[in-house]
Amino acid sequence: MSNLFKAEHPFSNYWTHQGGLAEVLGVLPSREQADILVAKFFDAVDPVYPMIHRENFEDDYAHFWSMNPQERTTGDGCLVALIFVMLAMGTQFVDLPSPEEKEQTAEFYSTPRGFGR
C-alpha cells in the first residue's frame, strides 16, 4: 500500500503525539484570524450543513479565548478539534487576492514614492 504522506500520520510534521494539546495549539492562528474563519464558516457552511448550535459554540469559543495559553493546554481537546475543522472549512470561503493583485501590491510597496521630488 502506498503512503502518500510518507509518514504514519499525515500531520506528523505538526503533531508528534508527544507534545499533546500544547503542540496542536502551537499552530492555531491568532484570535483575529480565527474569528474571520469562524465567521466564514457560519456564513457559508452552517446554512447548508447546520451541525453546530451557534450560541453554545460561541460561548465555548469565547471561553476558550479568555483562557491564558497555559490553561488552553489542559482544556477540551474536542472543542479544539472542532475549532480546527471550522477554521479549515472557513478557509474555503476566504477571498484572497489574485497573483496579479499580489504583484501590484508588492510593486507598490517596493517602489519609492515621493523621493527626490
Side-chain angles (χ1 to χ4, degrees):
M1 176 189 256
S2 172
N3 186 347
L4 177 64
F5 297 107
K6 307 290 185 230
E8 285 184 33
H9 188 276
F11 302 108
S12 62
N13 57 331
Y14 293 118
W15 190 4
T16 63
H17 300 285
Q18 297 169 359
L21 193 53
E23 190 170 354
V24 174
L25 291 170
V27 296
L28 186 69
S30 70
R31 169 77 190 259
E32 181 182 14
Q33 292 170 328
D35 287 351
I36 291 167
L37 296 175
V38 166
K40 290 291 185 183
F41 172 88
F42 280 115
D43 289 346
V45 178
D46 188 65
V48 180
Y49 302 106
M51 301 173 280
I52 309 297
H53 188 273
R54 187 172 187 160
E55 291 80 19
N56 288 349
F57 172 79
E58 287 176 347
D59 289 344
D60 292 342
Y61 182 74
H63 175 71
F64 170 81
W65 285 107
S66 73
M67 294 188 293
N68 69 49
Q70 183 60 36
E71 289 175 313
R72 289 184 204 144
T73 65
T74 59
D76 183 357
C78 291
L79 175 62
V80 173
L82 177 61
I83 291 171
F84 270 101
V85 167
M86 293 171 73
L87 298 178
M89 295 177 91
T91 62
Q92 301 304 304
F93 301 96
V94 173
D95 295 323
L96 298 175
S98 69
E100 293 81 22
E101 290 172 312
K102 286 181 186 178
E103 187 175 321
Q104 289 172 351
T105 301
E107 191 174 309
F108 174 81
Y109 284 108
S110 67
T111 304
R113 303 270 183 225
F115 291 108
R117 290 185 183 180

